[in-house]
Amino acid sequence: MESAGAGEERPRGHRFVLVHGVCHGAWSWYRVATALRSAGHRVDALDMAACGARPGRAEEVGSFQEYSRPLLDALGALPPGEKAVLVGHSYGGQSLALAMQAHPDRVAVAVFASAAMPAAGKPLKFVSEQFAQERGPGFFMDSVIETTGGDDLERACKTFLLGPEYMAQRLYQLSPAEDLTLATMLVRPSRRFVDDAVMNGEEVLTAERYGAVSRVYVVAEEDASWSPEFQRRMASWNPGAEVRGLQGADHMPMFSKPRELSDLLVEIADKYTNR
C-alpha cells in the first residue's frame, strides 16, 4: 500500500479499500475503482483468500479469519495516523465488521453497500440466520452447494457457487449485460464457514470497538436478493448508522449505478474523514 516517506507530503484524496461479495473478486469494482481514481483518490480493491485472482481453492481456506486476512493485513499496513474508507459489498460486510473490530483506529468510516451488517454482541452468523427467515424455498435457484472431503468430518467443508440464472434474476437484473457475462466467467466457489469459531462467537464484535466506528448503510433500492426492507433492518441493529438509499440499484450497485455509487462514496468520505 502507498505511504508517504519522511518529509514527504501525504497524498491528497481519500484512501478507499473495497471488499467484494461472495464468489466475486476485486474485479467487481473495476467501474467504481476507475471513477474514484480518476477523481484523484487512492483505491485498493482486494481479493479475499481464494477469491478473484488470488491463488488457492475455497476448501483450503481454514477459517473466516483466514478468508478476511487480506483486508486485515491491508489495514494493519496503513501508515501511522492514516485512516481508510472501507467499502464492503454483500458478504464482504462480514469481513468489514471483523476489520473494524481489529483496527477501529484505522477506519474513517465503513460503508456497507447492500452488504451484511452484523450487530455488536451477536455472532456474525446472525445476519444469515435472519435472512434465512426472509427467503423462501428454492431461493438460490441454480446456485450450487457442495460438500468436499467425503466421509472425513475433520476435513469436510461446504462451498457455494452462484448460478448464472440466480445471478441474472436476483443480482444483476438491472446491470449491463456485459457485466453479467463477465461475472459468469469469473465467479469462483466460496467456502461456507458454517462451524467457524469467529462466525459463531457472541463476543467477536464489541460495542467498544466494532460499534465505535462510524458506518453508513447504502440501500440498493431495487435489490432482488435481500430486500431493501431487510437491508434497513440490518442497519437498525447498529445504533447511529446512517442510511442512504440508491435508487435504481440492483444487488450489484457497482455495475447498475457505478457513477452514482462512486459519487456517494466520495460524499460519505468527505463527511466522515477527519471528524
Side-chain angles (χ1 to χ4, degrees):
M1 300 182 73
E2 304 166 7
S3 61
E8 295 181 15
E9 183 180 352
R10 190 175 296 279
R12 295 183 178 181
H14 301 294
R15 180 187 290 280
F16 291 91
V17 178
L18 311 180
V19 181
H20 60 82
V22 69
C23 301
H24 285 65
W27 57 265
S28 62
W29 294 104
Y30 81 94
R31 291 184 184 273
V32 169
T34 300
L36 292 175
R37 287 174 179 148
S38 296
H41 303 287
R42 291 160 292 155
V43 180
D44 294 293
L46 305 177
D47 283 320
M48 296 298 100
C51 294
R54 193 174 290 272
R57 296 181 301 163
E59 54 266 36
E60 297 171 342
V61 182
S63 67
F64 184 67
Q65 182 106 4
E66 183 181 341
Y67 172 86
S68 304
R69 178 55 57 191
L71 172 59
L72 298 172
D73 288 348
L75 277 187
L78 286 176
E82 184 170 354
K83 294 186 177 184
V85 177
L86 296 189
V87 185
H89 172 249
S90 194
Y91 187 73
Q94 305 276 38
S95 296
L96 244 63
L98 205 60
M100 293 157 69
Q101 174 71 22
H103 299 289
D105 58 327
R106 300 293 182 94
V107 185
V109 60
V111 184
F112 293 74
S114 191
M117 184 185 256
K122 293 186 180 295
L124 285 164
K125 69 174 184 178
F126 179 71
V127 172
S128 57
E129 290 176 340
Q130 293 297 305
F131 182 50
Q133 298 177 20
E134 175 177 281
R135 65 176 190 260
F139 178 84
F140 289 111
M141 301 170 63
D142 59 335
S143 299
V144 178
I145 297 176
E146 292 185 333
T147 301
T148 63
D151 296 329
D152 187 347
L153 297 180
E154 290 293 323
R155 303 184 64 180
C157 75
K158 288 186 176 181
T159 60
F160 177 78
L161 179 63
L162 296 167
E165 286 302 316
Y166 175 78
M167 294 168 65
Q169 294 187 36
R170 297 198 185 278
L171 305 186
Y172 286 77
Q173 83 275 11
L174 298 179
S175 296
E178 59 267 30
D179 288 325
L180 171 60
T181 299
L182 177 71
T184 60
M185 293 176 176
L186 294 180
V187 290
R188 296 172 58 183
S190 286
R191 182 165 184 169
R192 301 179 70 212
F193 298 97
V194 179
D195 299 319
D196 187 79
V198 167
M199 277 289 177
N200 290 279
E202 294 185 0
E203 302 301 323
V204 171
L205 302 179
T206 65
E208 294 76 18
R209 295 179 69 84
Y210 166 69
V213 180
S214 298
R215 78 233 20 230
V216 178
Y217 199 101
V218 176
V219 176
E221 298 287 7
E222 305 299 329
D223 198 326
S225 178
W226 45 33
S227 66
E229 293 75 21
F230 184 75
Q231 294 173 62
R232 288 184 166 86
R233 183 144 62 93
M234 285 190 285
S236 74
W237 302 335
N238 292 264
E242 181 181 357
V243 178
R244 302 291 296 269
L246 193 57
Q247 299 293 330
D250 57 20
H251 187 67
M252 310 299 298
M254 65 279 287
F255 293 125
S256 56
K257 290 292 179 182
R259 173 56 64 181
E260 292 83 350
L261 178 59
S262 301
D263 290 345
L264 181 56
L265 291 178
V266 173
E267 180 184 333
I268 291 169
D270 288 342
K271 178 178 180 179
Y272 285 92
T273 300
N274 298 322
R275 272 192 159 195

